[in-house]
Amino acid sequence: MRFGTTNLLNFKQASQFSLQSPKMAVNRLHDLAFGKRDNRFPREIRLNLANRCNFACPMCCIGQARADREDEYLGDMPFAIVEKATMEGTRHGAIMDLFGGEPTLYPHLAEVMRLVRDGRSLSFITTNGLLIKKRAKEMVDNGLNVLLISLDGWDEPSSLERGKVPGSFAAIMDGIAEIKRLRGKRPFPIIRISTAITKVNYHSIDKIAHAVYDAGVRDWLIQNYFFATDEIMRRHQEFKDRTGVGDKVMLHHIPGNNSYLNKTEVAELKASMARTRAFVESVSDMRVNFDWNLDLEKYYSPAPPSPESSCSLPYTRVDVFPDGRLALCGDGYTIGNILEGTIEDAWNSERMKEFRRVYESARIMPMCFRCCGITYDLKIGEIAPSEGRQDLFPVLQ
C-alpha cells in the first residue's frame, strides 16, 4: 500500500495507520474500489510551514521556487492558517504532510503534530535531519507517524557537499538513534530515509545503502534527480502562454545541457545501483522503494515522458503556502487561498476543473518532465528526428 509520499507500507504498518485514522482507511478503500478522479477533497495536504531552510543544497528546486516568491510572502506560515487547514483536513481524513523549507525550524511544530493526532489523522515530516535530535521528544510525544529523512551522503565529506553544513552526517545519525531510543516499542514514528541521486553520490549509492542499514533503518526511498532542460523550459512557457496552466516548474533547470548526468556518469550510476541491489538482496530485511526496471539511460536524456505516463497529484494533493495560497504540483498552479475560503471550495472550483481539463487533454505537460508526481508511473518516449522540438509535448489550441 502507498500513502501520500511515503515508501511502501507493510501490512502491519498499514493496519497501524488504519487504527490511528479510520477516515484515512475508508478513503483508501474508496480509491482502490472507485479510483481517485472524483475525490471531493484531497487525500494529502502539504503544509509548507517554514519559509526557510538551514541547508544550502545547490540542486534544490524548492529553494529556488521559494526564492523566486520572496517578495510575495515572507516568514513562516501563520499558525492560524495551519490550524484552519489542519482542522479541515483531519475532518476528511487527509494525510497532513509537514513540509518546508525545513519544517523542524517551525516554532509551533509540536502543536501542529498534536492537532493532527487529536484529529485522528496522520502526520508526516520530510526533513534534512539536522535538528532531529533536538525535536525528537516532541515528535515521539505528539504522535508523529512518519519521519522521512533526506540523506544524500554516506559520510561527513559527502554530506557536507549536499547541504554545506559541517557535521550534518553525524547529526542525522544521532537524531535517528535518539528517535529510536525515545520511541521504544511504540509503532510511531516510522523512520524512513530518502536519497536523491545527485552529482555528488551517483557513483556511490551502494555506500549510502550501507550507511542506512548501519543506522538501523530498513525503509529506504531512492529517487532519480528531478531536472528540466532548456527545451523543456521553452516548451513550458509556450504551454503556459497557450493554456494558462503552469507557474513554477518544480524541477532543477540544467541550462545548456540535455541532462543532469552525462553518459559516462549514467554508466557509473548503473554500476552503483547494481551493487546496491546486490547488497539489499543480501541482507533480506531492507525494503527499498525504487523502480529497478527504469531505463536510466533514457531517464537521463532529453526524451519526454510518453502519454502513457500518469500522475495522481491533480486528484490527491494540495499544497498550502505561508500566504494562504492553495496550489497544485508544488507551486505549479494556484487554485485558491485558504484565507478567502475552504480547501474543499478551492478543490472543487472552476479553476481546479480547468487544470484537470488541460491535464487530461494534454496527458503530460512540460512541467511533468521528470517530476516526482509521475515517478511511479513514468514511461519515457522517444526523441523526434528534430531533437524533439516538433512533437515533444502537445500544445492545446
Side-chain angles (χ1 to χ4, degrees):
M1 300 178 74
R2 182 179 293 131
F3 294 84
T5 55
T6 69
N7 196 347
L8 300 181
L9 297 171
N10 61 35
F11 180 79
K12 181 179 180 180
Q13 291 169 333
S15 299
Q16 291 166 337
F17 273 17
S18 298
L19 289 173
Q20 166 65 22
S21 182
K23 288 182 180 178
M24 179 280 302
V26 171
N27 289 342
R28 177 62 178 164
L29 292 172
H30 174 276
D31 293 349
L32 288 172
F34 303 106
K36 303 172 182 177
R37 298 202 168 209
D38 296 326
N39 291 344
R40 297 287 298 173
F41 196 85
R43 298 313 194 206
E44 178 185 354
I45 299 174
R46 174 170 285 185
L47 299 178
N48 293 276
L49 297 174
N51 190 34
R52 53 204 166 104
C53 188
N54 49 4
F55 269 27
C57 304
M59 77 297 188
C60 182
C61 56
I62 295 173
Q64 183 58 56
R66 187 169 63 248
D68 289 346
R69 288 193 182 273
E70 196 167 16
D71 293 337
E72 298 179 37
Y73 59 88
L74 298 173
D76 297 337
M77 184 177 287
F79 190 72
I81 290 179
V82 175
E83 192 171 29
K84 183 176 181 181
T86 302
M87 291 182 69
E88 185 179 3
T90 56
R91 283 201 307 271
H92 291 271
I95 292 169
M96 305 302 296
D97 186 7
L98 313 184
F99 210 71
E102 173 49 47
T104 59
L105 293 173
Y106 190 65
H108 308 294
L109 185 61
E111 292 94 321
V112 182
M113 291 185 289
R114 192 157 54 247
L115 276 175
V116 179
R117 180 197 65 194
D118 293 347
R120 298 298 303 278
S121 199
L122 301 176
S123 59
F124 298 174
I125 284 179
T126 301
T127 172
N128 59 37
L130 190 63
L131 298 180
I132 298 174
K133 188 172 183 179
K134 179 180 178 181
R135 292 288 203 171
K137 191 172 189 307
E138 293 177 350
M139 292 176 178
V140 173
D141 290 350
N142 291 286
L144 176 67
N145 297 107
V146 175
L147 177 63
L148 183 62
I149 305 161
S150 296
L151 181 70
D152 297 345
W154 59 93
D155 59 10
E156 288 294 352
S158 57
S159 292
L160 178 62
E161 284 297 304
R162 188 266 290 251
K164 310 302 181 185
V165 177
S168 58
F169 184 79
I172 292 171
M173 294 300 133
D174 289 347
I176 291 172
E178 184 68 0
I179 288 284
K180 294 175 70 175
R181 184 185 72 82
L182 294 172
R183 183 185 63 187
K185 295 183 178 180
R186 285 176 283 186
F188 302 127
I190 296 169
I191 304 172
R192 304 190 187 282
I193 285 179
S194 173
T195 295
I197 294 169
T198 71
K199 286 279 191 180
V200 174
N201 65 23
Y202 67 89
H203 44 63
S204 300
I205 304 300
D206 51 312
K207 294 181 181 178
I208 301 177
H210 286 272
V212 171
Y213 197 81
D214 290 346
V217 178
R218 297 295 181 262
D219 294 330
W220 185 28
L221 168 65
I222 308 173
Q223 295 179 311
N224 279 293
Y225 196 75
F226 306 139
F227 68 95
T229 64
D230 289 340
E231 176 65 10
I232 291 302
M233 298 304 289
R234 188 186 73 80
R235 285 287 183 171
H236 167 72
Q237 189 60 52
E238 183 183 56
F239 192 89
K240 180 180 178 181
D241 292 344
R242 191 71 69 89
T243 67
V245 169
D247 294 336
K248 301 298 178 185
V249 177
M250 303 305 287
L251 302 170
H252 186 205
H253 179 203
I254 312 295
N257 292 284
N258 280 332
S259 179
Y260 178 65
L261 298 179
N262 61 38
K263 290 184 178 180
T264 300
E265 291 167 335
V266 171
E268 290 187 59
L269 170 61
K270 291 172 69 175
S272 172
M273 293 308 300
R275 296 192 300 270
T276 299
R277 186 168 190 173
F279 171 73
V280 170
E281 291 174 348
S282 72
V283 296
S284 74
D285 62 338
M286 192 171 186
R287 297 166 56 247
V288 179
N289 193 4
F290 181 74
D291 183 0
W292 298 102
N293 296 316
L294 180 66
D295 187 331
L296 292 174
E297 291 177 352
K298 275 193 169 184
Y299 184 93
Y300 291 100
S301 80
S306 76
E308 286 71 39
S309 303
S310 63
C311 178
S312 64
L313 292 187
Y315 310 96
T316 57
R317 194 186 91 190
V318 68
D319 283 53
V320 186
F321 288 90
D323 58 353
R325 283 185 309 108
L326 301 169
L328 307 176
C329 303
D331 200 359
Y333 183 81
T334 299
I335 60 171
N337 194 300
I338 199 170
L339 296 174
E340 301 168 358
T342 65
I343 295 173
E344 185 172 15
D345 287 342
W347 191 252
N348 296 284
S349 66
E350 289 303 315
R351 186 160 173 81
M352 180 68 172
K353 292 175 184 176
E354 175 62 13
F355 179 90
R356 288 180 176 172
R357 184 192 73 80
V358 171
Y359 168 72
E360 289 168 5
S361 298
R363 291 302 305 143
I364 291 294
M365 301 179 287
M367 66 182 183
C368 301
F369 179 67
R370 295 293 187 265
C371 177
C372 61
I374 61 174
T375 296
Y376 300 108
D377 295 294
L378 174 62
K379 297 175 179 63
I380 301 175
E382 301 294 337
I383 299 292
S386 58
E387 296 183 353
R389 295 183 64 87
Q390 298 303 314
D391 301 309
L392 186 59
F393 289 96
V395 179
L396 305 183
Q397 299 296 323

